[in-house]
Amino acid sequence: MACCVQSADLTSGSGNEDEPVEDTTAQAVKPPEGRMKRIFGFEKEDFSSWHRIVCLLNRPTDPAALGIFRCMFGMLMAIDITQERGLSHLDYKYLDGAPICRFPLFSSLEPLPMDWMYLVYVVMFLGSVGIMLGLFYRLSCLMFIATYWYVFFLDKTAWNNHSYLYGLIGFQLTLMDANRYWSLDGLMKPKKRNADVPLWNYTLLRVQIFIVYFIAGIKKLDADWVEGYSMSYLAHHWLFEPFQMILSVDQVSLLVVHGGGLALDLTAGYLLFFDATRPFGIVFVSYFHCMNSQLFSIGMFAYTMLATSPLFCYPDWPRRFFARFPAPLWVLLPITAPGPQPSSSCVYPEVQKGGKKPRFRHKLATVFAFIYVVEQFFLPYSHFITQGYNNWTNGLYGYSWDMMVHSRSHQHVKITYKDGTTGEVGYLNPGVFTHSRRWKDHGDMLKQYAVCLSANLPRYNITEPEIYFDIWVSINERFQQRIFDPRVDIVKADWSPFRPNPWLMPLLVDLSPWRTKFQEIESSLDNQTEIVFIADFPGLHLENFVSEDLGNTSVQVLQGQVTVEITEENKNYTLETGQQMKLPHGAYHKVYTVSEGPSCYMYVYVNTTEAALQQNFTRLLGIQERVRNGTETEPLPPELLPLIATDDQGSEVNATDPVVQLFLRRQRRMKEVKKRREANVMERLNRFTVKKYYLLRRGFLMTSIALRNLAFGLPPVDQLTREVAFANMKEPLQEANQDGPLKEEAGHGEL
């Protein structure tokens, strides 16, 4: 815990500024500080007794840095509420009467009616604004954390590490005196204005940020991360193009993405702590978080982490920083005058010298600080308690700080129901009755989903339904394999948060070395051939359908023994290691694992429809180029005339040939992608501003409608329909591109 007590801020004048400035004699005879205090901010003697520890953690400290962080955190949370918390699309998530399966932490926890949920978000928003302004600070913090944690616990599918971190910081700020600097409370109550804060206010926040970095680094010591399998796709992102000037893509993935991420997380906390390394640490983490803001859709997380870095600096840095501004601006800026006033929250040196004991509140704060730090170090490794939440990765995703360590891809998801009365068997679309996809990887959510489906299916004359899931997942580029036992009725299956999940299939880690072979096999294929690697357990089988679009589809055994059943032919073929066979397209087949151990095999196929389409695109592009440069000698048939039209949108509409229409649409999208990527700073800023405007606009209008409904009741349906339609108005660019996201056409869907 000592590493989180920063050296300079413990001795930066908080205890001496109450003395008269002209008393230079006392300062002259002040004994020199020891080496330990210069580096760490305390002496060994500060931990020699409980009394000394209490005095240390309640030592008066400048409130400036804490006040600036409070303001930035409140502002970022106000923005976050409209975006990642989902205010702008709250009605889609909590629509009254919709048969939606939800995934709360506690089954008894239910969302309020939709209009009341908008009120919850309004309270949360007002709380965050109050934190930012330092207005009715303690009440604002309570308003924020009460509603934030309620919304957080309502939906486990939205959990992630940074959302959990926001709640923790909000909880910490509730107990701190962060309104002692640059706050409206300080203007209204002079006793709070520019008053000292106890050192533990800074210590807890620094500990928390240290844990975020350091535990994330410890989790990245996982073999998959060290060997470069967790986030290998990131190496293709344009942000890493400068590194590709001297390194190959594989080297960028291994050394920069994975090696750099590991090094940063392990060292960031230490670099920020020491005076000598802090400038390098701030540059390092700032570059890292700026990259993350472009790589991932993580809302305000990158900016929140940027806001935490100055907490490691001298706590009076805002005074020195804002003192550099012209004097006429000081009225609008935070206080620059030195010398915070005394506060009852702190223990001053005079108390120690006079033999007075710290108050009960000081001792309680010290106990809380110790308990909180121990709890935060313990929770990421507490999964031996909550074993029911462990899957292939441990625990509820959110408080483990295993950020980006695991990437998943789903090849096959099948939901089968069986009528408990008639025995009728049928299939459900994956994701029916829910907007989330996270249930596919977590046993606790799968159990909730199955129970919800069993409650909804009787509406469709399916009584006492049994629900079976066949979910195939690849984690960190391993084989596609089942994650849950497809033979178990999940509705009746046993599940407890404190016992291991009995219907979880084990991850076949012994097959991990095959990933090197995967790369060799994939590199030997042409661009039109695709491949899927499968591993299955003895006694189970995979039922699959080969589409008409997939020509030359074959299955080849890599390990073990399988029996392939061609359903229509009613024939079985047994394949050993190294053997393969072609599969008929437009037909079902089953692959049974008959060996004693797991079988491994691969599907190799060519999407003939896609290949033919690409050939047509190449032919049309050649015709278009020849016409434009005047080398085309033959007249174009009527169906190809849209190729030479100057109006892309009009030519696309006028095209009668579906291939030509698809070609023109693709060209238009590629032009838009190129235009966006080559846009200057002002164009990018304008696009960003317009997008956020319409996002905030919808959230504000829908909130106004909900509050009006609560205050005055529902209006006529026609009026409500017009109001919602007005709120749903989109920016012109979005309306012109309703046919799909640009990035899918550009081949960057994975980014």
Side-chain angles (χ1 to χ4, degrees), residues 427-447:
Y427 303 95
L428 301 174
N429 290 328
V432 64
F433 299 125
T434 182
H435 300 306
S436 174
R437 295 178 293 179
R438 297 264 309 260
W439 54 268
K440 293 182 288 188
D441 299 310
H442 301 272
D444 57 303
M445 298 186 198
L446 196 74
K447 175 67 175 180

Side-chain angles (χ1 to χ4, degrees), residues 643-665:
L643 292 175
I644 60 176
T646 56
D647 181 9
D648 292 342
Q649 189 75 30
S651 61
E652 182 183 320
V653 173
N654 295 329
T656 57
D657 189 300
V659 176
V660 174
Q661 188 178 43
L662 188 59
F663 171 76
L664 294 173
R665 182 183 303 142

Side-chain angles (χ1 to χ4, degrees), residues 728-750:
N728 286 334
M729 186 174 65
K730 296 181 174 64
E731 64 266 33
L733 183 61
Q734 237 186 8
E735 292 176 348
N737 292 282
Q738 289 295 308
D739 46 357
L742 294 171
K743 64 181 181 181
E744 293 180 2
E745 286 294 334
H748 292 89
E750 76 277 13

Side-chain angles (χ1 to χ4, degrees), residues 479-685:
F479 281 100
Q480 290 280 343
Q481 66 156 96
R482 289 182 166 97
I483 184 171
F484 302 111
D485 194 331
R487 300 164 295 190
V488 175
D489 173 17
I490 304 300
V491 177
K492 299 177 182 177
D494 178 56
W495 182 85
S496 167
F498 306 110
R499 294 194 303 271
N501 189 341
W503 31 274
L504 174 71
M505 305 295 281
L507 178 64
L508 298 173
V509 293
D510 293 341
L511 302 177
S512 298
W514 274 95
R515 290 180 290 191
T516 304
K517 186 66 174 177
F518 294 168
Q519 296 173 353
E520 297 175 3
I521 295 174
E522 290 171 342
S523 63
S524 66
L525 303 176
D526 57 48
N527 293 332
Q528 295 181 345
T529 303
E530 299 189 37
I531 194 166
V532 179
F533 298 98
I534 304 291
D536 204 2
F537 296 90
L540 297 179
H541 71 274
L542 169 64
E543 183 179 20
N544 213 343
F545 178 80
V546 180
S547 171
E548 296 281 358
D549 296 331
L550 305 182
N552 300 323
T553 301
S554 63
V555 59
Q556 178 177 341
V557 179
L558 302 174
Q559 177 179 301
Q561 185 181 36
V562 303
T563 297
V564 181
E565 176 188 349
I566 308 301
T567 308
E568 292 185 356
E569 299 177 2
N570 199 23
K571 292 183 179 180
N572 294 337
Y573 304 87
T574 300
L575 302 179
E576 305 280 351
T577 301
Q579 294 181 328
Q580 63 178 337
M581 66 171 289
K582 285 193 173 183
L583 299 171
H585 58 267
Y588 281 94
H589 67 274
K590 297 179 181 179
V591 182
Y592 295 85
T593 297
V594 295
S595 54
E596 294 183 358
S599 67
C600 305
Y601 52 94
M602 63 180 179
Y603 284 99
V604 183
Y605 60 93
V606 176
N607 192 326
T608 52
T609 301
E610 178 66 21
L613 189 61
Q614 290 297 332
Q615 291 177 356
N616 284 326
F617 282 175
T618 303
R619 178 178 63 87
L620 293 174
L621 182 61
I623 294 174
Q624 190 181 59
E625 290 178 349
R626 290 196 299 272
V627 170
R628 290 178 176 175
N629 60 30
T631 59
E632 180 64 43
T633 58
E634 298 181 3
L636 294 181
E639 64 271 16
L640 298 184
L641 289 177
L643 292 175
I644 60 176
T646 56
D647 181 9
D648 292 342
Q649 189 75 30
S651 61
E652 182 183 320
V653 173
N654 295 329
T656 57
D657 189 300
V659 176
V660 174
Q661 188 178 43
L662 188 59
F663 171 76
L664 294 173
R665 182 183 303 142
R666 183 184 181 91
Q667 274 200 320
R668 176 173 58 84
R669 286 178 156 189
M670 295 295 284
K671 288 180 180 179
E672 292 171 354
V673 169
K674 183 179 179 181
K675 182 180 178 181
R676 287 193 172 198
R677 299 193 69 173
E678 296 178 352
N680 58 40
V681 176
M682 292 305 300
E683 291 173 336
R684 291 173 181 265
L685 180 61

Side-chain angles (χ1 to χ4, degrees), residues 713-728:
L714 287 171
V717 176
D718 292 344
Q719 178 184 341
L720 190 60
T721 303
R722 290 194 303 271
E723 292 173 346
V724 173
F726 179 69
N728 286 334

Side-chain angles (χ1 to χ4, degrees), residues 135-424:
L135 178 63
F136 304 118
Y137 173 70
R138 210 72 68 183
L139 175 62
S140 295
C141 287
L142 291 173
M143 291 168 60
F144 175 75
I145 65 168
T147 51
Y148 185 92
W149 283 105
Y150 169 66
V151 172
F152 185 81
F153 288 143
L154 267 182
D155 187 10
K156 289 183 292 186
T157 66
W159 285 18
N160 50 44
N161 288 281
H162 61 266
S163 296
Y164 171 63
L165 177 64
Y166 298 161
L168 292 179
I169 293 177
F171 169 69
Q172 292 181 39
L173 289 177
T174 305
L175 304 177
M176 295 177 180
D177 296 331
N179 62 335
R180 300 303 195 253
Y181 186 80
W182 207 27
S183 69
L184 294 181
D185 284 347
L187 293 177
M188 296 185 295
K189 299 179 180 179
K191 288 186 178 181
K192 293 184 177 181
R193 187 169 186 259
N194 195 27
D196 284 323
V197 297
L199 177 63
W200 68 264
N201 284 196
Y202 284 95
T203 302
L204 281 193
L205 287 170
R206 291 172 184 151
V207 168
Q208 189 68 72
I209 302 308
F210 176 86
I211 288 175
V212 171
Y213 285 121
F214 187 70
I215 300 298
I218 295 296
K219 295 299 180 78
K220 285 182 173 64
L221 292 174
D222 179 85
D224 284 357
W225 184 276
V226 174
E227 295 173 11
Y229 290 109
S230 296
M231 293 280 122
S232 58
Y233 66 89
L234 287 181
H236 298 276
H237 196 279
W238 64 268
L239 280 172
F240 295 98
E241 289 178 357
F243 298 101
Q244 296 176 15
M245 298 174 63
I246 56 175
L247 299 172
S248 66
V249 173
D250 291 339
Q251 289 173 329
V252 170
S253 173
L254 182 62
L255 300 178
V256 180
V257 176
H258 293 89
L262 174 62
L264 181 135
D265 283 333
L266 286 176
T267 61
Y270 297 102
L271 292 176
L272 292 171
F273 172 72
F274 295 105
D275 290 351
T277 57
R278 189 175 305 114
F280 302 100
I282 289 179
V283 171
F284 198 10
V285 300
S286 297
Y287 179 70
F288 174 74
H289 292 304
C290 288
M291 289 187 69
N292 281 348
S293 68
Q294 301 300 310
L295 288 170
F296 308 108
S297 298
I298 51 177
M300 295 294 106
F301 177 55
Y303 309 105
T304 303
M305 293 303 291
L306 287 173
T308 63
S309 295
L311 286 171
F312 290 85
C313 298
Y314 288 76
D316 66 340
W317 72 261
R319 301 181 191 275
R320 292 179 280 111
F321 175 75
F322 291 111
R324 299 176 183 271
F325 284 72
L329 297 178
W330 288 358
V331 178
L332 304 175
L333 297 176
I335 300 171
T336 58
Q341 63 173 322
S343 169
S344 60
S345 300
C346 305
V347 176
Y348 290 87
E350 304 82 56
V351 175
Q352 301 179 50
K353 294 176 182 178
K356 298 179 181 178
K357 295 183 179 180
R359 297 180 181 178
F360 175 75
R361 62 182 296 184
H362 301 136
K363 298 177 181 179
L364 185 63
T366 304
V367 171
F368 167 75
F370 272 101
I371 292 176
Y372 184 86
V373 169
V374 171
E375 176 259 350
Q376 282 298 301
F377 273 104
F378 171 74
L379 268 182
Y381 300 98
S382 64
H383 309 305
F384 65 93
I385 299 175
T386 55
Q387 297 183 68
Y389 295 103
N390 297 342
N391 300 287
W392 289 349
T393 57
N394 284 333
L396 283 166
Y397 184 71
Y399 62 86
S400 299
W401 311 120
D402 51 353
M403 292 174 281
M404 305 300 173
V405 177
H406 306 104
S407 60
R408 298 175 177 85
S409 64
H410 299 82
Q411 183 69 26
H412 177 75
V413 179
K414 182 172 70 173
I415 305 177
T416 306
Y417 69 82
K418 181 179 180 181
D419 192 304
T421 302
T422 65
E424 175 190 1

